[in-house]
Amino acid sequence: VAPPTLTVLPPSSVEVQQGKVTLLCLANKGFPSDWTLSWKVDGSDWSSEVSQSPGLLQKDDSLYSWSSTLTLQEEQWLKNTVTCEATKESQATVSTTLRRGQCTE
């Protein structure tokens, strides 16, 4: 079993100005492919407007990569921290958190 490495990509400034934002969580080099990606907003589980892609097998190392997107209203994004978690039964949870303040305008 290999826990994936998580990266959360913030929305573009253009998106923020339009009132809705999409965040992307990339999970790389996990094995097997049944890790579940989930989101938390301000520490609370968040499941609305979430979609996860199926795992893609990387040819070079036989590990999987997959992603999940989260769509939020602009005010939710501006006020909160957003966390992406990868979970799998009997494995330690992997998580990464993005704070609004870490993003440049």
Side-chain angles (χ1 to χ4, degrees), residues 20-78:
K20 265 197 158 185
V21 299
T22 303
L23 293 104
L24 179 65
C25 180
L26 300 174
N28 284 311
K29 298 190 180 300
F31 187 85
S33 64
D34 61 351
W35 288 80
T36 300
L37 296 180
S38 58
W39 292 90
K40 288 185 173 176
V41 176
D42 237 16
S44 302
D45 289 330
W46 193 273
S47 57
S48 61
E49 299 209 60
V50 171
S51 64
Q52 180 171 336
S53 72
L56 291 173
L57 183 61
Q58 305 298 310
K59 296 262 193 303
D60 53 352
D61 52 19
S62 298
L63 297 174
Y64 289 90
S65 296
W66 54 104
S67 64
S68 177
T69 57
L70 168 68
T71 303
L72 291 176
Q73 300 298 323
E74 177 200 7
E75 61 269 16
Q76 293 165 329
W77 161 240
L78 293 175

Side-chain angles (χ1 to χ4, degrees), residues 10 77-82 98-105:
W77 161 240
L78 293 175
K79 285 191 298 209
N80 297 302
T81 58
V82 177
L98 186 70
R99 285 180 181 79
R100 169 70 182 82
Q102 291 173 333
C103 300
T104 52
E105 290 304 325

